[in-house]
Amino acid sequence: MNRLYHYPLSPFSRKVRLSMGEKKLEVELVEERYWEQDPEFLRRNPAGKVPVLKYGNRLLADSTAICEFLEEVQPSPALLPRHAEDRYEVRRLVAWFDDKFHGEVTSKLMGERVFRKVMGTGYPDSANVKAGARAIKEHLDYMESLLDQRRWLAGNEMSLADFAAAAQLSCLDYVSDVDWNRSSVVKDWYAKIKSRPAFRSILADQIPGFPPPSHYADLDF
Amino acid sequence: MNRLYHYPLSPFSRKVRLSMGEKKLEVELVEERYWEQDPEFLRRNPAGKVPVLKYGNRLLADSTAICEFLEEVQPSPALLPRHAEDRYEVRRLVAWFDDKFHGEVTSKLMGERVFRKVMGTGYPDSANVKAGARAIKEHLDYMESLLDQRRWLAGNEMSLADFAAAAQLSCLDYVSDVDWNRSSVVKDWYAKIKSRPAFRSILADQIPGFPPPSHYADLDF
């Protein structure tokens, strides 16, 4: 059986979980407190980050490299389109959410409010929290501008770009940091992706000391 | 003609320049002071970063998405191997150098010593410089452990992983921040990649106010 070393509120772990779920690849989840840098875990991934996927007898690290690998070994259902220009757009947006959205929003809001407590690294920095709360508005507006022209974020088919975005937003939604009233098209997009079977395990996540709000797992939020 | 909006000491721009050079794709270079966030540049790339590639009538952003696109439209010479497991290893290492090496080393050394001056954002933070100087040693040792088993970083063929690594190291070498005496296998690897025709334009880079040391462009360094 495949095994994924993950952390429930790691958006990069969630991106891989969604991708595997959509492809109906079974996986056993093993929670890894990666910031404790356990030597056994560092042996599995010298980068010291989750997710790490045990696939057959191989250990795979880096969520983007893992998702590209899964696409190649299990191409159906496809999460990357067929043509180079369309594949480019998916990859651009995956990087947008993994790097820019995560750096400007998720690391600032969830990083300060949840991870500091879980990791025991002190009190939240309110300047970071404010910057994150400002930045998420711009990002939701950018998503709206994309979804005004397309059914899904990178085109008319669901793709890895949608999973990269939903991975970040679902983590933030766990701590009630997404204002779903800001954009009805973004809310409709999230309702569509939230109702996929691949999303079920994510909606069942529970972090001790941080119970999710009731709307988190509600498909009619 | 293709056009690349870049900055000479941007490792991500260099990765794309090396990839295009190796594939013999002609490109006109346009220097972009991206941190000034010129509205015209932001229209080209809302992420506000270099590189941006004008390819035909398309504008492409994000160095990894660009390199994957170039691989698909110009597959020869190949910079990604054929088999999924080998492609995974290339992509894992590209992410290693783009994310981890850049975050722990390049952004700390070059970010503090060069970009603060160029961008006018104050004096270097010596704690960051020290952390970067410490981290580069670990990274050179990690590269040595890979090159002890392989001809190139990700396997026995040169790949995007080598360009991602050389892009970071060549920027640091421009400011004499690489101790090439630490590992003879890493030095030999860099000498091999430095002598590729694709490297010539990078060795000719000049930043006003920061002349490169004489060994920078020397193939026998």
Side-chain angles (χ1 to χ4, degrees):
Chain A
M1 163 90 98
N2 303 314
R3 179 182 294 169
L4 189 74
Y5 300 90
H6 82 123
Y7 188 72
L9 288 186
S10 149
F12 307 104
S13 302
R14 286 183 170 207
K15 187 177 68 167
V16 172
R17 289 164 71 192
L18 289 169
S19 178
M20 294 189 83
E22 196 67 25
K23 289 177 180 294
K24 302 204 170 35
L25 290 165
E26 284 197 38
V27 64
E28 176 197 1
L29 295 175
V30 177
E31 192 172 318
E32 181 66 53
R33 294 169 66 86
Y34 60 93
W35 57 90
E36 294 176 354
Q37 303 278 294
D38 175 65
E40 181 62 18
F41 180 63
L42 285 176
R43 196 188 54 74
R44 277 184 222 116
N45 178 17
K49 293 191 300 188
V50 287
V52 171
L53 176 62
K54 187 165 178 293
Y55 187 87
N57 55 10
R58 286 211 54 164
L59 282 166
L60 309 174
D62 184 77
S63 68
T64 293
I66 291 172
C67 288
E68 294 272 1
F69 174 79
L70 294 174
E71 200 59 26
E72 296 185 353
V73 295
Q74 182 78 41
S76 174
L79 295 175
L80 276 176
R82 186 187 301 227
H83 296 295
E85 299 211 341
D86 301 330
R87 294 161 74 83
Y88 156 76
E89 181 66 354
V90 173
R91 289 177 172 130
R92 177 185 77 86
L93 286 169
V94 168
W96 178 285
F97 289 102
D98 284 0
D99 299 342
K100 191 172 169 72
F101 187 102
H102 181 261
E104 292 174 359
V105 182
T106 316
S107 71
K108 298 249 158 73
L109 291 174
M110 220 180 47
E112 295 293 339
R113 288 219 273 235
V114 180
F115 281 101
R116 278 194 181 275
K117 207 163 181 178
V118 172
M119 298 179 184
T121 54
Y123 292 103
D125 177 328
S126 65
N128 275 342
V129 173
K130 269 184 206 155
R134 225 176 11 247
I136 194 174
K137 294 179 187 168
E138 290 164 26
H139 278 278
L140 291 172
D141 293 350
Y142 181 60
M143 290 175 71
E144 179 174 74
S145 74
L146 295 173
L147 291 166
D148 272 343
Q149 311 158 51
R150 306 163 170 179
R151 290 186 55 221
W152 295 91
L153 284 171
N156 288 328
E157 305 294 333
M158 190 180 69
S159 73
L160 278 176
D162 299 289
F163 287 168
Q168 301 287 334
L169 284 166
S170 65
C171 288
L172 293 166
D173 196 36
Y174 188 98
V175 287
S176 294
D177 268 337
V178 186
D179 173 11
W180 295 113
N181 292 323
R182 189 168 178 90
S183 163
S184 61
V185 287
V186 174
K187 187 179 179 182
D188 290 348
W189 163 85
Y190 191 64
K192 267 197 296 184
I193 205 160
K194 195 174 177 179
S195 66
R196 313 249 356 148
F199 231 88
R200 274 182 213 143
S201 105
I202 280 172
L203 298 181
D205 277 343
Q206 293 276 350
I207 313 287
F210 290 93
S214 60
H215 75 265
Y216 172 73
D218 187 356
L219 296 184
D220 190 23
F221 56 107
Chain B
M1 164 91 99
N2 304 314
R3 180 181 294 168
L4 189 73
Y5 299 91
H6 82 124
Y7 188 72
L9 289 185
S10 148
F12 307 103
S13 303
R14 287 183 169 206
K15 187 177 68 167
V16 172
R17 289 163 71 192
L18 289 169
S19 178
M20 294 189 84
E22 196 68 24
K23 289 176 179 295
K24 301 204 169 34
L25 290 164
E26 284 198 39
V27 65
E28 176 196 0
L29 295 176
V30 178
E31 191 171 318
E32 180 68 52
R33 295 168 67 85
Y34 60 94
W35 58 90
E36 294 176 354
Q37 303 277 295
D38 175 65
E40 180 63 18
F41 179 63
L42 285 177
R43 196 187 55 72
R44 279 186 222 114
N45 178 17
K49 294 191 300 188
V50 288
V52 173
L53 176 62
K54 187 165 177 292
Y55 187 87
N57 56 10
R58 285 211 54 164
L59 283 167
L60 310 174
D62 185 77
S63 69
T64 293
I66 291 172
C67 288
E68 293 272 1
F69 174 80
L70 294 174
E71 199 59 26
E72 295 185 353
V73 295
Q74 182 77 42
S76 172
L79 295 175
L80 275 177
R82 187 188 298 227
H83 296 295
E85 299 210 341
D86 301 330
R87 296 162 73 84
Y88 156 76
E89 181 66 354
V90 173
R91 289 177 172 130
R92 176 184 78 86
L93 285 169
V94 169
W96 178 284
F97 290 101
D98 284 0
D99 298 342
K100 190 172 168 71
F101 187 102
H102 181 263
E104 292 174 358
V105 181
T106 316
S107 71
K108 299 249 157 73
L109 291 174
M110 221 182 45
E112 294 293 338
R113 288 219 273 237
V114 180
F115 281 100
R116 278 195 181 274
K117 206 162 181 178
V118 172
M119 299 179 183
T121 53
Y123 291 103
D125 176 328
S126 65
N128 276 342
V129 173
K130 269 184 208 156
R134 224 177 11 247
I136 193 173
K137 292 179 188 169
E138 290 165 26
H139 279 278
L140 290 172
D141 293 349
Y142 181 61
M143 291 175 70
E144 180 174 72
S145 73
L146 295 173
L147 291 166
D148 272 343
Q149 309 160 50
R150 307 163 170 178
R151 289 188 56 220
W152 296 91
L153 285 171
N156 288 327
E157 304 295 331
M158 189 180 69
S159 74
L160 278 176
D162 299 289
F163 287 169
Q168 302 287 335
L169 284 166
S170 65
C171 286
L172 293 166
D173 196 36
Y174 187 98
V175 287
S176 294
D177 269 336
V178 186
D179 172 11
W180 294 113
N181 292 323
R182 188 169 178 89
S183 162
S184 61
V185 287
V186 174
K187 187 178 180 183
D188 290 348
W189 163 84
Y190 191 65
K192 269 196 296 184
I193 205 161
K194 196 174 178 180
S195 66
R196 316 268 324 168
F199 231 88
R200 275 184 211 140
S201 107
I202 280 171
L203 298 181
D205 278 344
Q206 293 276 349
I207 314 288
F210 291 93
S214 61
H215 75 264
Y216 172 73
D218 186 354
L219 296 184
D220 191 23
F221 55 107

